[in-house]
Amino acid sequence: MEQVIRQICLGVEAQGMECRIFTLSRNARNKPVIHDGATAVYRAQVSIDVASTPMSWSAMQLFKRQCDWADMIHYHFPWPYGDLLHTLVRPGKPALVTYHSDIVRQRTLLKLYQPLMHRFLGQMRAIVATSPNYLGTSDVLAKYQDKVSIIPIGVDEQSYPKPDERLMEHWRGKLGEGFFLFVGVIRYYKGLHILLDALKGTDLRVAIVGAGPIEKALREQANRLRLTNVHFLGALPEADKMALLHLCGCVVFPSHLRSEAFGVTLLEGAMLGKPMISSEIGTGSSFVNINGETGIVVPPGDVSSFREAMQILTASPALAEAMGSKAKERFDTLFTAKRMADAYAELYADLARQ
């Protein structure tokens, strides 16, 4: 999410628009304002966390100050506390929201939150979905189709560090080349337990980059399965991640629940011409990865199908290379940061004229 917001700001600033970011932070007392290039990031101190939603007693005044400065306000959903801030502060400025994901897991709390959510979405002048797939499968977005635009997430290859040869040799010595790579926060919906089950009884090599709340359980699963062909690398700097993306043969993305709304890792793989394996969950992941063209899409949670997809790409390097080339072509056509920023700049201008 942070990378997406950063790319939007960089892109529209290049067209003469000034951006500020408002967020919450557990370190805001020490650094209430930080800068990323020309973009100032204003941070309110987190006071409490309710159902994985950070909240802040000081945010309302700080948010109002930024709303007074702004000509337009751009929210990112889901963030229930943002809905509350908008409702209480009532900025009186044109507002839009990028709708990244339905709320999937917290069904009981969702019933309590729905009135606020629909009040908030109803007050938005525009709602942006990040893929036609998500618009077509979201019951919430179906209620607001008349004001939904589709702007795919985009990234800029130039904004990523280029790994030097020393770093490449370091990882080549540890892992070789042509392995399968997963990158992401290790959460329940990422489907990594499916990936580990798919490795049982094979010599398929996998590297897992990232940390998260279920990492320990996954390591224990790998030990139970006696997997010697999977490497848990933990969280790594961007340069190391890019080195691994260059060296890998395929990006694997086993997310099996709709909490996975898009998959920036898939974009990063496509950006470097890598074939992909993902699951069909009705979200943006199948907008990035087209089955049979840029990679292979399998049913969610299907261990046998995921294993077979990995074996197919391992057995046919020519097919993997062709799919990687198609992935790069699709990235260049649809998923660049410039294309995303241009679309947002045009939407901002349209809303400002209303």
Side-chain angles (χ1 to χ4, degrees), residues 84-282:
L84 182 63
L85 283 176
H86 179 82
T87 300
L88 295 177
V89 172
R90 290 186 279 185
K93 303 288 179 70
L96 70 150
V97 60
T98 298
Y99 190 100
H100 291 276
S101 172
D102 296 332
I103 295 175
V104 177
R105 194 179 193 187
Q106 294 158 332
R107 294 290 184 181
T108 301
L109 289 174
L110 178 59
K111 293 177 181 178
L112 299 174
Y113 165 57
Q114 276 182 334
L116 174 63
M117 177 184 76
H118 286 297
R119 177 186 174 95
F120 170 75
L121 292 173
Q123 291 175 342
M124 295 296 103
R125 289 199 185 177
I127 298 173
V128 174
T130 56
S131 72
N133 303 49
Y134 216 94
L135 174 59
T137 59
S138 169
D139 291 338
V140 174
L141 288 179
K143 300 178 187 296
Y144 302 98
Q145 288 204 35
D146 59 328
K147 56 181 176 182
V148 175
S149 303
I150 296 170
I151 301 178
I153 290 172
V155 295
D156 178 10
E157 186 172 0
Q158 300 305 313
S159 69
Y160 289 85
K162 288 183 170 53
D164 58 32
E165 190 54 36
R166 179 195 59 80
L167 192 58
M168 294 287 288
E169 282 302 317
H170 167 77
W171 287 112
R172 190 179 285 114
K174 280 182 171 292
L175 301 174
E177 297 187 30
F179 51 86
F180 293 90
L181 177 67
F182 169 87
V183 180
V185 179
I186 301 180
R187 301 187 187 280
Y188 70 96
Y189 59 83
K190 294 292 186 179
L192 286 168
H193 61 290
I194 300 161
L195 175 62
L196 295 182
D197 283 339
L199 295 179
K200 185 177 179 180
T202 76
D203 57 0
L204 299 166
R205 295 175 297 127
V206 171
I208 295 175
V209 176
I214 66 166
E215 181 180 358
K216 180 181 178 183
L218 290 171
R219 289 177 179 270
E220 291 172 351
Q221 179 186 354
N223 288 334
R224 285 195 306 273
L225 295 174
R226 298 181 180 179
L227 299 179
T228 59
N229 49 340
V230 60
H231 301 269
F232 288 90
L233 303 178
L236 293 174
E238 282 289 295
D240 294 82
K241 184 185 83 172
M242 291 305 293
L244 292 168
L245 277 166
H246 279 283
L247 291 171
C248 76
C250 174
V251 169
V252 287
F253 205 71
S255 298
H256 63 304
L257 298 174
R258 281 181 59 81
S259 300
E260 188 67 76
F262 198 87
V264 172
T265 297
L266 291 173
L267 284 190
E268 293 168 340
M271 177 178 75
L272 296 182
K274 303 296 179 178
M276 299 164 278
I277 302 173
S278 59
S279 299
E280 180 52 77
I281 51 178

Side-chain angles (χ1 to χ4, degrees), residues 286-336:
S286 295
F287 182 56
V288 180
N289 185 23
I290 306 300
N291 186 40
E293 294 185 23
T294 62
I296 301 175
V297 181
V298 304
D302 191 326
V303 172
S304 296
S305 294
F306 212 95
R307 180 189 299 120
E308 182 181 3
M310 296 172 76
Q311 290 171 332
I312 287 171
L313 292 183
T314 299
S316 181
L319 176 63
E321 183 177 357
M323 286 180 166
S325 295
K326 285 286 188 182
K328 174 61 173 170
E329 289 176 16
R330 187 167 173 80
F331 172 85
D332 290 338
T333 301
L334 293 174
F335 301 119
T336 63

